[in-house]
Amino acid sequence: MSTTLTAPGWAGTTVLSGDPVAAVRELKERMPGELQVHGSGQLVRRLAEEGLIDEMILLTYPVIVGQGTRLFPADGPDSALELVESRATPGGVTVQVYRPAGRPRYATEVPDRTS
């Protein structure tokens, strides 16, 4: 998705514009293969809200940042994720691959404390 780019310099790249949900739905129906989103939290949130994400690859860096934009909004819907793959790089970055798994299930009982 882009509001400014019209002619990408990368082979096999399609630039979408307009309504992102409609554009991604149409592209998924029309073309086989993988669609990727890089660096747009706003687009990821919108596509996740519409159920258009089949898999997420999340990278966690060993850095604590005291501020910034959340990837998922505090008032967004709860979603369960299935961990498909997990690995760590030599530099400590963890890479987790998740697939949506419907509504989350929460524990309703607190285990007894043993003394």
Side-chain angles (χ1 to χ4, degrees):
M1 297 301 306
S2 180
T3 58
T4 58
L5 184 66
T6 57
W10 310 285
T13 299
T14 301
V15 177
L16 303 177
S17 60
D19 175 30
V21 171
V24 169
R25 277 199 177 109
E26 192 272 330
L27 190 60
K28 285 180 78 165
E29 290 174 7
R30 183 169 49 93
M31 299 179 71
E34 185 175 286
L35 303 176
Q36 296 184 5
V37 175
H38 296 270
S40 178
Q42 183 178 6
L43 180 57
V44 167
R45 285 188 291 279
R46 181 80 190 278
L47 296 177
E49 186 178 284
E50 296 294 328
L52 291 171
I53 294 180
D54 301 316
E55 186 173 272
M56 277 191 272
I57 302 172
L58 300 178
L59 285 70
T60 306
Y61 291 81
V63 175
I64 296 174
V65 179
Q67 59 188 356
T69 303
R70 295 173 55 112
L71 178 56
F72 302 104
D75 61 350
D78 295 352
S79 300
L81 298 173
E82 172 192 4
L83 181 63
V84 177
E85 180 184 342
S86 180
R87 64 185 184 275
T89 69
V93 175
T94 60
V95 181
Q96 301 89 34
V97 179
Y98 290 101
R99 290 194 184 123
R103 298 283 303 151
R105 296 181 61 199
Y106 298 101
T108 56
E109 294 183 15
V110 177
D112 291 334
R113 297 179 98 189
T114 56
S115 307

